[in-house]
Amino acid sequence: MRIGELETPVYVYDLAEIERSHALLLGWLPQPSTLLYSVKANPHPAVVAALAAAGCGAEICSSGELLTALEAGVEPARLFYTGPGRRDSDLEVALRAGVRRFSTDSPTALDQLERLCGMYGVDATCLLRVNDSSAPGHALAMVGEPSQFGADLRWILDEPQAFADRDRVKVRGLHLFMGSNVSDEAALTAQFARSIETAACLRAAGVDLRLLNLGGGFSAPFAREGSLPRYEQVAGRLDGLLTEAFPDWQSGDPEIAFESGRYLVAGAGRLVTRVLDVKRSFGRQVVVLESGVNHLGGMSGLRRLPAIAPTLMHENTASKERLETMVTGPLCTPLDRWSTRALLPALAVGDEVVIPNVGAYGLSASLVAFLGHPLPGEAVVRGEEVLETSRLRLQRHRD
Ligand SMILES: Cc1ncc(COP(=O)(O)O)c(C=O)c1O
């Protein structure tokens, strides 16, 4: 099958692009360091498998992501289980599957893991997630204010016993994910610098720092044209800062890790969809697409991502004229609008449009169950070659 023959709407993920982004990101990181793929960005099994094959471990935060990562071939030893609230049953699934490395956000979480490790007769390692002040420049800051993420630095310093080793659960490092989508290189470097300082302070205070996960924050364009930012200075700056704080880090004391979702996969995905209706309303072109916030942009609706300004690449019109256009999906709610004043050519029913750079936080971050439309297909390609197609389905199971 050729890409042009795929039924719309369809997300297309290009493995060759994923491999390119991965190689690019490795080039911005100090070496040696470990890179984890944050499965939340795109849990398609072929995407996770491609990154596992390229050498990434996986950062996961639910039983669903755990199963996806295992099915994609990530060995349990390369999984890092994160997240601020976990049911016993989720952790039990993880422990039974062989996951032994967790991020922990509170003394309660340490005690919970200790109890479950006792039940299964296994030991586990935790990295303390720290809520430290975040550097400016975040599109999505997660710490430096009251937050469910991490324990405040002050708390860890004031009550070290609360964060100490349990019998089976040992604290062996730190997790400092400060926020997402930082396109400004100086801001990202400042964030990492601050994290290294915090880690050095906690090591001096007695934390057994064998693994330092510095998080990420590498940015990518979303639902608009554009290329991945370049972070030419980061590796050099971090190399210097790490050497100052931890003279033996290059021999693995501590081991340094990063995690990234969007940078690795955003550019590899596009959504191909079609025009269902075109009309004029109060002087504006209104284009109704097969896809709305049910297929793309649910998190944007929740204001957790930048507003969508999709680039619509059309095929059936040669006109140079641009019209002020409202771009909507088919849902029966006025919230289902991607753009209210996009400048687009005159479009016609049946035109195919493409929204680029939606390989991260696309389908799985959208309001997929709202209003009951079928979900788009997903196609995995390498360049022009279609490797597989599939479709997520929502099913109700009676308890
Ligand atoms: C702990 C943690 N790690 C990694 C990520 C991935 O972020 P991004 O996709 O921006 O790289 C997130 C995103 O929210 C996160 O919360």
Side-chain angles (χ1 to χ4, degrees):
M1 179 186 271
R2 291 182 310 110
I3 290 183
E5 291 164 358
L6 292 168
E7 188 192 338
T8 62
V10 61
Y11 272 89
V12 180
Y13 308 126
D14 188 340
L15 300 185
E17 279 302 324
I18 292 178
E19 286 153 13
R20 264 195 283 279
S21 308
H22 174 256
L24 200 57
L25 182 51
L26 281 191
W28 310 139
L29 301 180
Q31 295 301 335
S33 58
T34 307
L35 178 59
L36 305 178
Y37 170 53
S38 297
V39 173
K40 60 176 77 61
N42 185 333
H44 191 290
V47 168
V48 183
L51 285 161
C56 289
E59 184 255 325
I60 52 169
C61 48
S62 68
S63 335
E65 290 188 355
L66 166 65
L67 294 180
T68 300
L70 291 174
E71 277 171 28
V74 189
E75 305 93 59
R78 296 169 71 212
L79 294 174
F80 179 45
Y81 203 116
T82 70
R86 306 181 277 224
R87 296 178 309 159
D88 282 4
S89 54
D90 296 325
L91 289 176
E92 287 180 34
V93 171
L95 290 172
R96 280 203 302 268
V99 179
R100 295 291 179 268
R101 198 152 24 135
F102 297 83
S103 170
T104 193
D105 295 69
S106 70
T108 314
L110 277 171
D111 290 335
Q112 179 192 29
L113 191 57
E114 170 71 15
R115 178 167 49 76
L116 296 170
C117 280
M119 253 171 62
Y120 287 93
V122 297
D123 296 338
T125 300
C126 275
L127 306 192
L128 289 183
R129 183 151 180 200
V130 187
N131 181 356
D132 192 6
S133 59
S134 61
H138 289 279
L140 188 53
M142 298 172 81
V143 293
E145 55 190 26
S147 170
Q148 70 270 51
F149 301 112
D152 295 4
L153 175 60
R154 197 63 265 161
W155 186 15
I156 302 174
L157 290 170
D158 287 349
E159 296 180 42
Q161 274 318 309
F163 297 91
D165 287 353
R166 308 315 197 233
D167 283 344
R168 292 186 170 277
V169 176
K170 309 291 183 209
V171 176
R172 291 290 177 264
L174 298 168
H175 182 207
L176 289 137
F177 191 91
M178 300 303 193
S180 251
N181 214 6
V182 188
S183 55
D184 176 24
E185 177 161 32
L188 190 66
T189 313
Q191 168 194 298
F192 287 135
R194 168 78 197 183
S195 295
I196 291 168
E197 215 176 281
T198 303
C201 157
L202 284 167
R203 178 181 254 192
V207 170
D208 189 351
L209 183 67
R210 300 191 194 179
L211 175 56
L212 172 56
N213 182 325
L214 286 170
F218 300 95
S219 179
F222 177 72
R224 63 187 72 215
E225 281 184 288
S227 45
L228 290 170
R230 301 178 66 79
Y231 295 95
E232 315 264 1
Q233 314 293 326
V234 167
R237 281 297 313 284
L238 291 199
D239 209 291
L241 292 168
L242 284 167
T243 303
E244 232 170 84
F246 311 112
D248 295 324
W249 75 275
Q250 281 181 317
S251 339
D253 176 27
E255 179 190 340
I256 304 297
F258 295 88
E259 57 199 37
S260 172
R262 74 185 71 224
Y263 197 91
L264 291 167
V265 295
R270 58 193 189 268
L271 173 60
V272 186
T273 187
R274 272 181 207 283
V275 176
L276 293 179
D277 197 3
V278 182
K279 59 193 169 193
R280 292 198 74 80
S281 173
F282 286 78
R284 216 175 297 171
Q285 174 174 240
V286 176
V287 173
V288 183
L289 300 175
E290 290 174 316
S291 298
V293 293
N294 53 336
H295 294 174
L296 173 67
M299 299 230 303
S300 170
L302 296 171
R303 302 210 296 149
R304 302 310 297 167
L305 285 169
I308 293 179
T311 307
L312 304 182
M313 294 184 234
H314 54 93
E315 283 181 353
N316 299 349
T317 167
S319 161
K320 294 260 179 298
E321 195 193 355
R322 292 291 178 266
L323 307 173
E324 198 169 76
T325 304
M326 173 179 282
V327 183
T328 85
L331 304 187
C332 296
T333 163
L335 297 176
D336 192 21
R337 288 175 187 160
W338 279 348
S339 311
T340 52
R341 290 176 188 278
L343 285 179
L344 294 173
L347 288 167
V349 171
D351 278 355
E352 196 170 273
V353 298
V354 180
I355 295 87
N357 288 320
V358 291
Y361 306 110
L363 182 58
S364 67
S366 298
L367 299 174
V368 292
F370 189 40
L371 282 165
H373 288 272
L375 298 187
E378 292 178 284
V380 179
V381 306
R382 181 174 287 283
E384 289 305 306
E385 188 192 353
V386 177
L387 303 177
E388 64 162 86
T389 60
S390 60
R391 188 176 298 271
L392 270 178
R393 286 192 203 287
L394 295 175
Q395 286 177 319
R396 184 178 308 282
H397 297 280
R398 281 194 195 283
D399 287 335

